[in-house]
Amino acid sequence: MKRNTLLKHLRRNGCFLKREGGSHSLWCNPQTGWIEAVPRHTEVPNRLAKKICKCLSISEIG
């Protein structure tokens, strides 16, 4: 899955970028307070994208 697709999904579900790290971006869900790292690669494996969505308590992509 493209990273941009995942980031759009996170934004649509109310998450925001907390900060940028060296190789990861930290995204936060303000409703739950959970923070999850998203790698800064152009492609993110589908399994990892599902894990990120689950940890942030938002719906999975497709």
Side-chain angles (χ1 to χ4, degrees):
M1 157 178 313
K2 296 283 185 188
R3 182 175 187 264
N4 287 338
T5 305
L6 176 60
L7 297 183
K8 285 179 187 176
H9 179 73
L10 294 178
R11 283 189 200 102
R12 271 191 243 119
N13 285 282
C15 297
F16 66 92
L17 177 65
K18 186 163 179 85
R19 70 178 177 88
E20 293 283 346
S23 60
H24 289 78
S25 304
L26 294 181
W27 283 78
C28 180
N29 184 345
Q31 296 172 348
T32 61
W34 287 98
I35 298 171
E36 189 63 29
V38 177
R40 283 211 242 145
H41 304 289
T42 54
E43 288 285 330
V44 177
N46 289 339
R47 190 169 175 182
L48 179 59
K50 286 182 180 182
K51 181 216 175 259
I52 291 168
C53 291
K54 184 177 179 182
C55 289
L56 289 173
S57 301
I58 62 173
S59 63
E60 293 181 1
I61 299 176

